[in-house]
Amino acid sequence: MAKSYCKHCGSSFPNVRALTSSTCMRHPDGPYKGKHVLYEGDEKDRYTCKYCGRDFSTIREMTSSTCMRHPAGPYKGKHSPSL
């Protein structure tokens, strides 16, 4: 059974209902100010940032660091997974 992942923090949940029922620590509006959002891509061995192209082994690892090519400015936002 496939897990559901949050595209902001990379946390995994057993299903979409569990994912969308709790708040996200890395939500763009601020810590715990919004719900988790479903990452709609497939589960992969490597995840690529849609802004800079850097590879990561997990979504959680990706979303925990800042991106040098983020649209908000260099190092002003987190990496984001591409589909």
Side-chain angles (χ1 to χ4, degrees):
M1 182 171 187
K3 293 181 182 178
S4 299
Y5 294 92
C6 174
K7 77 174 188 177
H8 299 304
C9 70
S11 297
S12 65
F13 296 85
N15 55 51
V16 176
R17 174 179 259 164
L19 179 132
T20 57
S21 66
S22 59
T23 56
C24 180
M25 66 183 162
R26 293 193 188 125
H27 195 275
D29 294 340
Y32 303 104
K33 293 191 177 183
K35 302 282 185 183
H36 291 285
V37 177
L38 178 65
Y39 165 69
E40 296 184 19
D42 296 329
E43 203 167 345
K44 306 173 185 174
D45 292 334
R46 304 291 296 169
Y47 296 90
T48 305
C49 175
K50 68 181 175 182
Y51 303 128
C52 68
R54 187 171 163 202
D55 285 338
F56 297 87
S57 58
T58 65
I59 295 175
R60 182 179 287 276
E61 178 186 347
M62 173 186 289
T63 58
S64 67
S65 60
T66 55
C67 181
M68 63 185 213
R69 293 195 177 120
H70 194 274
Y75 302 104
K76 294 194 177 183
K78 304 288 185 181
H79 291 284
S80 183
S82 64
L83 299 176

